[in-house]
Amino acid sequence: MFDTIIIGGGPAGYLAAERLGHNGKKVLLIEETQMGGTCLNCGCIPTKTLLNSAKQYVHAKEAEKFGVKAAGVSFDWAVMQGWKTEVVAKLRSGVEGQMKRFGVEVIKTRGEIVGAPSGETPARVRSIAHNGSAEHEGKTILVCAGSVPSLPPITGAKDNPFVMDSTGLLAVEKMPKRLAVIGGGVIGVEFAGLFSSLGAEVAVIEMMDEIIPFMDREHAPVLRRAMKDVKFHLGCKVEKIEGAAVHFTAGEGKAGVVEADVILMAAGRRPLLDGWGGQAAGLDISSKGVAVDDRMRTNVPGIWAAGDITGKSLLAHSAYRMAEVAAADILSVLDGAAPGRDRMRYNAVPWAVYGITEAAGVGITEQEAGSKGLAILKANLPMKVSGRFAAENSFSAVGAVKVIADANNRRILGVHAVGAYASEFIWGGAALIEQEFRTDEVKQIIFPHPTVSELIREAVWEIKEITNA
């Protein structure tokens, strides 16, 4: 009998398996496709690998202004795809190696709960393969089934050879000359940045009045304007797709059409709620995901859930943290110990958009503070005042760092950035919020110089000037 059976080998599943295995537990992990889940195989990693290749190309073209001459700069899409495949395979092998290192048994097939644990009766999970099935018993179950692309019911989209989701576009053999992107969220913006930087004509059709709906409204236009080769159609509703043409309406009934070689359906992702036995096990499941508490426990004792399947935060790093919280709670149950202090908190989960120009944020935006009636202090500094940013970027490069604090107790509530390196230093903002730092405490932290991250500290000092004004 296994101590824990994990369904799903994505970030939540494999990290929980590592943590449990490290603590000497007997773990079975059932994964239907490839270890690493969406993030590693058809999401975060392959996207960022291709984006890095595009950055190398853009930087090479701009190198002359920095004193580096590179004549005849070009790119090879097939080689870029080959490098992407190599990186993914290498990292997947690393995950598989970690499973062996921590004694985790892995079965490559579909897993389905057929019996929830009850008292002394163990849980039962069936592994279903083309050559038959088998049942496995475990004391506990952790569901990490992940998510799938969300495909809105647009007329003409189904079975259309020109329409792809992000997984299909990542594997395309020939780079499109014209790309239409339906959706201006993270996925749509990253792909728009990738293909436009390589010379494709890109148009983004977004229903909202701005891209990245959760981004600070002062920063979103900065990111959009930085993507000068992308044509954005904001506040537009897609009505239908005819062949390779996307028809949409804008305000006051104005009609528009975008013709492309490829149409990317980038309407986000949704939890995978079917095919693993959740309903039969009696789990509390809605269209939003599997209901869990702050220890990742479901409504059924002995079953936990983590990652995208919960619908709480569909981000790989959120899945990692959920996995750690779930593993800690499972360990306390298996060992008969009192529950620990490890709980899931969502107020300090950072997000990032990767591209030639990056964006990232954590905590509340100025707009969210306003909707909650919070009195705030704020400062927004342009990245060009950073010595490192000025040294490593062209003078036309854009960027800003914004800090939001509670006006009453001066606690840091939000940190937002748009521009180079934003994804690399936003963790600092998460730490400030998680540990409830006040502005005076941030002023005492020594940041390395010259770095763009220094702007967090400088923005805090600017808050003081605003307060005294």
Side-chain angles (χ1 to χ4, degrees):
M1 181 187 298
F2 294 94
D3 290 307
T4 304
I5 299 176
I6 300 175
I7 298 176
Y14 72 71
L15 190 67
E18 287 184 26
R19 299 290 186 262
L20 292 166
H22 178 75
N23 282 275
K25 303 306 177 185
K26 187 178 180 182
V27 180
L28 170 65
L29 189 153
I30 304 176
E31 166 56 47
E32 185 173 6
T33 55
Q34 298 280 8
M35 288 296 295
T38 296
C39 175
L40 176 50
N41 294 286
C42 54
C44 319
I45 301 304
T47 306
K48 277 56 180 181
T49 305
L50 291 175
L51 276 166
N52 181 65
S53 294
K55 287 181 181 180
Q56 300 291 341
Y57 173 63
V58 171
H59 292 163
K61 291 197 301 179
E62 297 177 345
E64 190 168 351
K65 69 180 66 176
F66 301 107
V68 179
K69 295 184 177 181
V73 177
S74 62
F75 69 89
D76 189 318
W77 180 252
V79 174
M80 290 169 62
Q81 286 280 32
W83 172 241
K84 176 207 71 177
T85 301
E86 186 177 345
V87 169
V88 170
K90 183 72 174 178
L91 293 177
R92 188 191 303 129
S93 175
V95 171
E96 292 169 347
Q98 286 291 85
M99 296 301 98
K100 293 179 181 178
R101 177 188 174 196
F102 292 110
V104 176
E105 183 175 335
V106 177
I107 299 179
K108 295 289 186 69
T109 182
R110 182 166 67 87
E112 180 181 356
I113 301 173
V114 292
S118 177
E120 297 299 318
T121 303
R124 291 180 296 115
V125 177
R126 180 185 296 125
S127 57
I128 305 170
H130 68 278
N131 57 351
S133 63
E135 284 194 6
H136 314 273
E137 293 186 342
K139 299 175 184 177
T140 59
I141 294 175
L142 174 59
V143 180
C144 306
S147 63
V148 292
S150 180
L151 301 176
I154 298 174
T155 301
K158 188 177 181 181
D159 298 325
N160 186 328
F162 297 101
V163 177
M164 297 183 179
D165 60 17
S166 56
T167 301
L169 189 55
L170 277 171
V172 69
E173 294 183 0
K174 182 180 179 181
M175 204 195 89
K177 294 181 179 179
R178 300 175 301 170
L179 174 67
V181 180
I182 300 176
V186 174
I187 296 173
V189 167
E190 287 189 354
F191 275 102
L194 167 64
F195 285 97
S196 65
S197 66
L198 296 176
E201 294 180 13
V202 180
V204 175
I205 304 103
E206 167 58 42
M207 184 179 294
M208 305 296 288
D209 61 357
E210 189 53 272
I211 61 172
I212 317 294
F214 50 80
M215 192 173 176
D216 189 275
R217 293 299 89 181
E218 196 170 1
H219 282 186
V222 177
L223 176 62
R224 177 167 46 80
R225 289 193 294 266
M227 301 171 67
K228 57 183 181 298
D229 294 326
V230 177
K231 188 171 184 179
F232 290 95
H233 300 276
L234 303 178
C236 296
K237 179 184 178 182
V238 175
E239 299 293 345
K240 62 180 179 179
I241 300 174
E242 290 184 338
V246 180
H247 296 263
F248 59 90
T249 54
E252 300 178 355
K254 296 180 180 178
V257 61
V258 171
E259 296 185 356
D261 304 313
V262 173
I263 300 169
L264 171 63
M265 196 72 77
R269 300 182 66 83
R270 60 176 178 82
L272 176 59
L273 303 176
D274 300 315
W276 48 267
Q279 288 82 0
L283 295 183
D284 182 2
I285 300 176
S286 70
S287 59
K288 296 180 180 179
V290 177
V292 293
D293 63 11
D294 57 1
R295 297 182 189 275
M296 313 314 298
R297 296 177 177 180
T298 70
N299 63 302
V300 178
I303 301 181
W304 288 254
D308 288 2
I309 194 68
T310 68
K312 295 282 189 180
S313 177
L314 278 66
L315 299 168
H317 46 276
S318 297
Y320 280 148
R321 182 59 187 146
M322 292 182 203
E324 291 174 337
V325 171
D329 199 55
I330 291 171
L331 285 170
S332 70
V333 171
L334 292 173
D335 296 338
R341 299 177 61 186
D342 220 359
R343 294 174 180 270
M344 190 65 199
R345 297 181 295 277
Y346 299 94
N347 66 309
V349 176
W351 57 265
V353 179
Y354 303 82
I356 307 304
T357 298
E358 295 186 354
V362 62
I364 67 172
T365 63
E366 182 179 347
Q367 294 71 39
E368 289 172 326
S371 66
K372 295 178 180 180
L374 298 176
I376 63 170
L377 304 171
K378 67 171 184 175
N380 189 48
L381 294 184
M383 279 191 178
K384 64 182 180 182
V385 304
S386 161
R388 183 175 181 186
F389 184 83
E392 297 185 358
N393 294 271
S394 66
F395 293 138
S396 62
V398 297
V401 172
K402 187 174 190 176
V403 174
I404 298 169
D406 190 308
N408 297 314
N409 57 23
R410 306 179 71 83
R411 182 164 58 90
I412 303 298
L413 299 178
V415 177
H416 306 275
V418 57
Y421 325 113
S423 67
E424 286 295 334
F425 65 77
I426 197 60
W427 72 268
L432 298 180
I433 295 172
E434 182 73 33
Q435 297 302 315
E436 299 186 345
F437 269 58
R438 269 59 174 175
T439 55
D440 288 344
E441 294 169 324
V442 179
K443 293 175 184 177
Q444 298 173 39
I445 299 175
I446 300 174
F447 285 69
H449 177 79
T451 60
V452 179
S453 64
E454 288 177 284
L455 290 175
I456 295 177
R457 186 172 184 270
E458 293 303 316
V460 169
W461 278 100
E462 288 290 323
I463 282 177
K464 176 183 178 181
E465 294 178 10
I466 293 173
T467 305
N468 292 336

